[in-house]
Amino acid sequence: MTQEFAHVRWIGGGTGAGKTTVTGLLARGREVTVYDGDAGEAGYLARCTPEGQPRLHALAGKSPAEKWLVPTPEEAVAAMPSLHGETFPLVVEDLRALPADRPLLVDDFRTLPREVARLLARPGHAAFLLPDPDFRRAALSARYADPERARANWGDADPAVMLGRRLARDLLWDAEIRRQAEAFGLPVIEVDGREDPGAVAGRLADAFF
């Protein structure tokens, strides 16, 4: 536990769980700073080195489609830089550059419970949202129904094939997040659509503020 990041509240978890929506609701009407991990990724790629972040550095030279053209979901997870701790130090660098005089909400898919646990002032300052597989499929199918967005992520590869790969990989990533959250005693919120994002944000607000 540490006091340096006592002002930070962490919202992690799987893709399609509504992390960004919940973060936006938490920020509404409050004097807070929001850190968007997806937006920060371009900065990670610009700062990574072959020695410090070999997997992330290798990804920087690949096309969107190449990043997903792996034989199995297990190999896709094993290749993720975040699984090997390559992205978290870059996140920490970014957070240290932001104001510390107000709550800082971190919305980041890549952050794992084992990394967050050592920085928390209290366990309730982090939560990991994990979507039901059907909920995620519906959310990502809607997200990538836009051909331009699909092309930006997967190039000219078949979107249906790439979405299937993404769903399979993310299911394994969820399992890793769940395992670590349980090991470190950090909260997991199951997302299946029965509880609206406002209710989830309300629950987190009680613990965060």
Side-chain angles (χ1 to χ4, degrees):
M1 303 295 181
T2 179
Q3 290 302 309
E4 180 184 3
F5 295 98
H7 63 297
V8 180
R9 308 294 184 264
W10 306 83
I11 303 170
T15 54
K19 297 183 299 299
T20 300
T21 299
V22 168
T23 301
L25 291 170
L26 284 167
R28 186 178 299 169
R30 294 186 173 95
E31 189 174 350
V32 301
T33 303
V34 173
Y35 178 79
D36 181 345
D38 288 343
E41 184 177 26
Y44 310 157
L45 293 172
R47 303 199 314 265
C48 69
T49 66
E51 298 77 22
Q53 297 86 18
R55 296 168 185 84
L56 187 62
H57 190 267
L59 284 177
K62 293 184 177 180
S63 69
E66 287 174 330
K67 294 176 183 179
W68 291 97
L69 292 176
V70 291
T72 68
E74 289 79 10
E75 288 173 336
V77 171
M80 291 175 69
S82 299
L83 181 65
H84 303 276
E86 292 188 11
T87 56
F88 193 65
L90 301 172
V91 173
V92 170
E93 283 182 11
D94 287 349
L95 299 186
R96 284 186 168 133
L98 296 172
D101 60 348
R102 70 200 70 174
L104 170 55
L105 304 179
V106 177
D107 165 18
D108 189 23
F109 157 79
R110 299 158 196 80
T111 295
L112 287 166
R114 69 170 179 236
E115 298 165 326
V116 169
R118 61 187 173 83
L119 301 183
L120 294 175
R122 61 181 62 179
H125 285 176
F128 294 85
L129 280 58
L130 296 179
D132 171 90
D134 290 336
F135 184 89
R136 170 186 280 134
R137 179 179 290 277
L140 295 191
S141 294
R143 181 182 301 179
Y144 295 115
D146 176 1
E148 290 303 316
R149 188 165 189 176
R151 190 173 298 110
N153 280 266
W154 298 316
D156 294 326
D158 184 341
V161 172
M162 294 295 102
L163 178 59
R165 290 176 182 266
R166 174 70 177 265
L167 293 170
R169 186 211 67 172
D170 285 353
L171 192 62
L172 295 174
W173 184 247
D174 287 357
E176 179 64 21
I177 292 172
R178 188 183 302 279
R179 182 186 69 78
Q180 291 191 21
E182 290 175 355
F184 288 96
L186 299 182
V188 167
I189 296 177
E190 309 289 347
V191 178
D192 60 11
R194 288 182 291 184
E195 185 177 31
D196 67 53
V200 175
R203 283 205 281 154
L204 290 180
D206 290 340
F208 282 7
F209 304 112

